[in-house]
Amino acid sequence: MTITGAEALVQGLVSEGVSIVFGYPGGAILPVYDALRNSKIKHVLVRQEQGGVHAASGYARVGGKTGVCMATSGPGATNLVTGLANAYMDSTPLVAITGQVARSMVGTDAFQEVDITGITHPITKHSYLVQKADDIPRIIKEAFHIASTGRPGPVLIDVPRDVAEEICKGKVPDKVNLPGYKPTMQGHSAQVKTAAQMMIAAKRPVLAAGGGVILANAAEELVQLAEMIQAPVMTTLMGLGSIPTVHDLYLGMPGMHGHPSANKAIMECDLLVTVGMRFDDRLTGAVGKFAPHAKIIHIDIDPAEIGKNVRVNIPIVGHVKLVLQSIIERLEPVQHQEWFDKIRQWKTEDPPLYLADEEQLTTPMVLQRLNQLTSGDMIVTTDVGQHQMFAAQLIRLKHPKSFITSGGLGTMGYGFPAAIGVQMAKPEARVVCVTGDGSFQMSMSELATAREQGLPIIILLFNNHCLGLVRQLQHFYCDRRQMAVDITGSPDFVKLAEAYGIKGYRISHPREIDQVLQQALAQDELTIVECEIRHEEYVNPNVLAGKGLDEMVLGKGGNS
């Protein structure tokens, strides 16, 4: 039986275990959609291609499988670009399939033609422009292998329409053969031994966990190591959830808007063990002032990250889970009680970042009550802005893969479509999207997608009628001058919910929190809960540009 390139592509997806594709069709990718129609793969029609790639990202990050999205050529393909860059920065395994104009028309500025492989070259692990249908089975197998191994990331496959239509005689190879691509899995034994010795000898050790811990399913090993050497653990934004937030050794998130105790610990520790993280500038503050008294061990699967931003004493390249297991095998339990007691004292003495106000609704107030009502049994997705930082500081997390956000790229509009992917990967989970009025309006057209799929997501929308985090930056860096941050003309979000045929509530006063949240949580349907917060709410603390982590502007009560 003969098959077309498009049919071979769909067969390849099936053989890779793909069950859901997020996409938006168009002329150049019609043959692929025609082949998809005859398969068992579920297609989710998003309302804009960027929603599709973000949904595939959310699906991949909690489902443990490579996410797949599709778009047509030209504007369909370019609408994927931000989502691919987001996935690249956050190491999310994705395969994006785009249609392309016919081979004879490539380079002629044909209708809806764009060089998407060239555009995405710096923001993907690899990109393919398929030249003949016979190559498709091999390329599909390679793409999924590249996306999901080593440091995960996005791969793009661009398929000209005539290639999708021609007969395919190629076969799926038994194994992937990529001589230049062999990620290092085991850490160097001498470096592992030295790292273990340093942990035993340290007086003030700290562990710092990044998103690589979660990607490697190494949370159990991380906690085991922390308990063996009695080291406090801080987590980056992407590492949130790798240790339960109620654990005695959990120290919080360090960095620009991090917990004061975590920042103090970095400045005073004598050994910083960093695991699966990349020293983002929001985390380090001024690099020259970062961890001044510490020797640094950096464990990461990507050798390009070692020493890129911060000096490292012991680099260990390898799969985080395997490296942690190797270190644990060489350790015996040690106590750092004096250091642990000091950390505990810092946490007790930390000033309150946000003051309670019985008359004024605040974001911390709503999030803390959400914690109590759910006991932390939820998966939270966020957009980008003040609400993201409040959530990172305050949301109670019990498990890995329960906090899904845009870390590296900081993509507004990510949270809601990501929640769609999360809910489809985990239908049984309570999924809450924490967003702001600015971010939500970048992707709220996906309400139709979520309603169409019957997804019971709660959208917790904090409306301060402005771009709050930009406003906050202008406060510090523009001598309080405000420009282009007030958002007017927004819809009535409760009426918007009604227009989509879903539930909508508004919280305007603290006394309304309980009733509305309980009602929303009791339902099993798509819901918008709009929280009217004040314009002037600020995220604390702040580490300003050029400052060290011990030079925080603490603030109180969110006041400017």
Side-chain angles (χ1 to χ4, degrees), residues 146 470 483:
I146 294 169
V470 182
M483 172 65 189

Side-chain angles (χ1 to χ4, degrees), residues 361 363 387 435-438 441 460-466 487 490-493 506-507 529-535:
L361 186 71
T363 304
H387 63 274
T435 185
D437 52 319
Q441 291 188 73
L460 200 53
L461 191 161
F462 292 94
N463 189 356
N464 58 1
H465 304 276
C466 71
I487 300 179
S490 297
D492 180 319
F493 291 105
R506 180 174 293 116
I507 302 175
V529 178
E530 179 190 14
C531 304
E532 284 275 4
I533 56 172
R534 63 195 176 99
H535 203 248

